[in-house]
């Protein structure tokens, strides 16, 4: 009865929310930055994908869904406890990591499958509806894209799906 789900799991966990300590710069050569990811399901799925590919940190803009939202936790399938989420704006992150290029995801960017990410970078994943914010695009050193198949009529990819494709391309 205490769960918010119609058909909950038989286990319910109650715990303290840990205090966030950001130790910059992050050790990752490639840092994933989430720009205005509002959907808790997307946010949790991105954490799950990051965990799958071995990322230990994700940085989220202050406008993202709240990391401890029950839907984020559920869709992360436990990744929320293994991937540290740091909340900060991109300007602050970039100041602490000046050696990293800022690459935004954009339909007009360089094909991610053609070694588009070859040096330490901050990769910005944009909002589900509006893409990367104009102010963040203005800070970017470049853009990467996932090529659309011939004849595709789709406008865009889901933010979590795009993150999975990009991380797979980088790991490859």
């Amino acid at each position: 009865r205490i769960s918010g789900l119609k058909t909950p799991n038989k286990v319910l966990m109650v715990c303290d929310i840990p205090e966030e300590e950001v130790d910059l710069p992050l050790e990752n050569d490639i840092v994933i930055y989430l720009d205005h990811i509002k959907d808790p399901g997307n946010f949790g799925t991105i954490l799950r994908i990051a965990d799958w590919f071995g990322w230990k940190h994700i940085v989220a803009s202050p406008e993202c869904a709240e990391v401890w939202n029950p839907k984020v936790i559920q869709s992360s399938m436990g990744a929320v406890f293994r991937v540290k989420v740091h909340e900060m704006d991109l300007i602050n992150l970039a100041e602490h990591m000046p050696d990293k290029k800022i690459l935004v995801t954009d339909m007009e960017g360089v094909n991610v499958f053609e070694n588009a990410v070859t040096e330490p970078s901050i990769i910005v994943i944009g909002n589900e509806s509006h893409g990367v914010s104009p102010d963040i695009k203005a800070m970017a050193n470049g853009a990467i894209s996932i090529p659309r198949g011939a004849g595709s009529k789709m406008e865009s990819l889901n933010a979590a799906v795009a993150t999975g494709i990009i991380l797979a391309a980088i790991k490859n």
Side-chain angles (χ1 to χ4, degrees):
R1 284 187 241 162
I2 198 169
S3 173
L5 302 174
K6 287 183 181 177
T7 54
N9 195 314
K10 294 178 183 176
V11 177
L12 182 70
M13 184 168 97
V14 178
C15 61
D16 292 328
I17 295 174
E19 290 285 326
E20 179 185 349
E21 291 183 28
V22 182
D23 188 18
L24 293 173
L26 303 175
E27 73 260 13
N28 300 59
D29 280 343
I30 307 295
V31 174
I32 301 300
Y33 184 83
L34 306 181
D35 177 28
H36 289 77
I37 299 297
K38 297 289 190 182
D39 183 284
N42 274 342
F43 196 157
T45 302
I46 289 169
L47 293 176
R48 185 177 179 182
I49 290 165
D51 192 24
W52 178 265
F53 286 108
W55 260 257
K56 303 294 183 213
H57 303 272
I58 292 281
V59 182
S61 71
E63 298 80 17
C64 283
E66 211 279 316
V67 70
W68 299 109
N69 176 306
K71 289 183 180 181
V72 173
I73 294 169
Q74 182 181 15
S75 60
S76 82
M77 298 299 290
V80 71
F81 300 108
R82 293 181 294 275
V83 177
K84 289 187 178 183
V85 177
H86 310 284
E87 184 182 298
M88 71 178 61
D89 61 56
L90 186 60
I91 293 171
N92 189 17
L93 179 64
E95 285 174 0
H96 285 88
M97 304 180 105
D99 62 317
K100 296 192 184 327
K101 288 175 52 173
I102 298 172
L103 299 175
V104 296
T105 49
D106 188 86
M107 303 257 295
E108 305 303 318
V110 176
N111 183 339
V112 73
F113 297 108
E114 297 175 355
N115 296 321
V117 184
T118 58
E119 56 190 296
S121 303
I122 298 169
I123 297 178
V124 180
I125 306 295
N127 173 271
E128 297 91 348
S129 301
H130 306 290
V132 176
S133 307
D135 54 330
I136 289 180
K137 278 187 179 181
M139 294 175 60
N141 303 103
I144 58 174
S145 70
I146 300 166
R148 188 184 338 206
S152 173
K153 303 289 187 225
M154 291 304 304
E155 277 185 22
S156 64
L157 286 172
N158 168 285
V161 170
T163 302
I165 294 169
I166 289 166
L167 294 185
I170 291 168
K171 280 293 189 176
N172 190 33

